[in-house]
C-alpha cells in the first residue's frame, strides 16, 4: 500500500469506528509483513517465550483458563524488524485517530497471542475497572486460509443486540472501542494467532 492508499484506509477505518464503534480492514498490513509476524509468533512459541495470559490487573492478576486460554508475549521496540515495522504502522494509525477523532491517544501496547485448538476467551470488555486508559482495541490476525467452519471467530456484541463474527484471517485488522464493545473469542479447531493491542490515552490512574 502506498501512503495515499494507507491514509485512505485509515479514513475508512476511522469513519466506521466513529459511526458504529468497530471497523474492519482486510489486508491491512502488507502480506509479507503479516507472514513475517506470523513466523515471529511461531518462533516465540517454539522457544517457550509465550506464557499463559492472565485476567485482571496489578495484584488482582490471575491466570484463569476458564475465562481466557491464550498464551501471550508483549512486543517491545527493537526486537525484530517486522515487529518494528508493525509498531510504526500502528503509530501512524494512532496519529490519524488523534487527528480525526481527538482521542488524545498517547501510546500503543500489543502482544502476540496464540490460542491452541479449543482455547477461548469469554465475553468481556478490554478495560480494567481501575484503569481506563485503553481506548481503542486493535487486533491483527496472522492465520493463512482460515475457514468459517474452523471456528475461532471474534464475536462482537453490537449495541442493537446483534452479533458480528470476524474470522481471524491473515491480514485482517479489527478495531473497536475498548470500553464499549463486549466481545469474545470462540474456540477453534486449529491454532489461532494474532497481534492484539490497545491504543491508550493518558490515565487518571488512582493507584
Ligand atoms: C483480547 C481479545 C480478540 C481476538 O485479547 O482481549 O479480545 O480476536 N482478543 O483475539
Ligand atoms: Mn478483548
Amino acid at each position: 500500500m502506498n501512503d495515499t492508499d494507507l491514509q485512505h484506509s485509515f479514513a475508512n477505518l476511522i469513519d466506521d469506528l466513529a459511526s458504529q464503534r468497530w471497523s474492519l480492514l482486510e489486508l491491512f498490513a502488507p502480506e509479507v509483513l503479516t507472514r513475517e509476524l506470523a513466523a515471529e509468533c511461531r518462533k516465540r512459541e517454539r522457544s517457550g517465550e509465550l506464557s499463559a495470559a492472565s485476567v485482571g490487573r496489578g495484584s488482582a492478576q490471575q491466570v484463569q483458563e476458564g475465562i481466557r486460554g491464550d498464551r501471550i508475549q508483549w512486543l517491545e521496540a527493537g526486537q525484530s524488524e517486522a515487529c518494528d515495522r508493525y509498531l510504526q504502522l500502528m503509530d501512524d494509525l494512532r496519529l490519524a485517530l488523534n487527528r480525526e477523532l481527538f482521542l488524545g491517544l498517547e501510546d500503543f501496547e500489543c502482544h502476540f497471542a496464540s490460542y491452541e485448538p479449543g482455547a477461548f476467551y469469554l465475553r468481556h470488555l478490554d478495560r480494567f475497572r481501575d484503569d481506563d486508559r485503553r481506548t481503542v482495541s486493535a487486533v491483527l490476525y496472522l492465520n493463512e486460509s482460515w475457514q468459517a467452519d474452523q471456528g475461532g471467530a471474534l464475536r462482537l456484541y453490537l449495541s442493537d443486540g446483534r452479533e458480528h463474527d470476524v474470522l481471524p484471517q491473515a491480514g485482517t485488522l479489527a478495531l473497536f472501542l475498548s470500553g464499549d464493545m463486549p466481545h469474545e473469542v470462540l474456540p477453534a479447531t486449529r491454532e489461532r494467532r494474532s497481534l492484539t493491542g490497545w491504543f491508550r490515552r493518558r490515565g487518571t490512574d488512582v493507584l
Side-chain angles (χ1 to χ4, degrees):
M1 236 190 267
N2 65 36
D3 198 50
T4 316
D5 290 345
L6 191 64
Q7 291 305 326
H8 191 70
S9 300
F10 284 173
N12 287 336
L13 268 179
I14 291 170
D15 280 353
D16 286 347
L17 189 67
S19 61
Q20 61 181 20
R21 303 183 187 177
W22 63 281
S23 67
L24 276 191
L25 187 59
E26 284 165 26
L27 295 180
F28 168 70
E31 277 177 76
V32 185
L33 177 57
T34 307
R35 265 201 302 277
E36 286 174 5
L37 292 169
E40 176 80 23
C41 186
R42 284 195 301 272
K43 191 182 94 190
R44 293 176 184 218
E45 280 166 26
R46 278 197 306 272
S47 61
E49 291 175 68
L50 273 54
S51 47
S54 54
V55 180
R57 186 169 166 272
S59 56
Q61 230 178 39
Q62 279 182 353
V63 172
Q64 292 193 17
E65 280 169 14
I67 297 179
R68 72 181 289 193
D70 54 330
R71 301 180 70 77
I72 65 166
Q73 192 190 35
W74 292 94
L75 233 71
E76 310 278 350
Q79 289 175 323
S80 80
E81 209 194 311
C83 291
D84 284 355
R85 285 224 305 285
Y86 184 67
L87 291 174
Q88 181 60 56
L89 197 55
M90 296 313 267
D91 207 56
D92 294 344
L93 178 55
R94 181 180 70 81
L95 296 175
L97 283 162
N98 284 346
R99 215 165 38 234
E100 302 299 324
L101 302 178
F102 308 104
L103 290 177
L105 303 171
E106 281 204 314
D107 66 7
F108 177 72
E109 56 172 10
C110 75
H111 60 56
F112 283 108
S114 167
Y115 291 75
E116 285 182 7
F120 53 82
Y121 193 162
L122 294 183
R123 178 175 167 148
H124 65 280
L125 290 172
D126 283 350
R127 190 169 268 187
F128 301 114
R129 253 186 297 268
D130 61 350
D131 178 351
D132 62 359
R133 283 177 297 170
R134 287 181 172 181
T135 304
V136 177
S137 305
V139 192
L140 177 71
Y141 297 105
L142 303 175
N143 313 289
E144 299 287 336
S145 317
W146 195 277
Q147 308 295 322
D149 64 5
Q150 294 172 324
L154 164 68
R155 177 163 290 170
L156 301 171
Y157 292 91
L158 310 184
S159 54
D160 62 5
R162 284 180 308 134
E163 295 165 5
H164 184 84
D165 284 357
V166 178
L167 293 187
Q169 171 62 31
T172 296
L173 180 80
L175 277 194
F176 52 91
L177 296 186
S178 308
D180 288 312
M181 178 60 72
H183 58 281
E184 76 175 294
V185 177
L186 301 177
T189 56
R190 58 181 269 202
E191 192 95 31
R192 176 195 194 272
R193 299 185 176 90
S194 65
L195 255 175
T196 301
W198 297 273
F199 293 101
R200 301 189 303 181
R201 60 178 177 218
R202 190 197 308 274
T204 44
D205 204 340
V206 288
L207 293 183

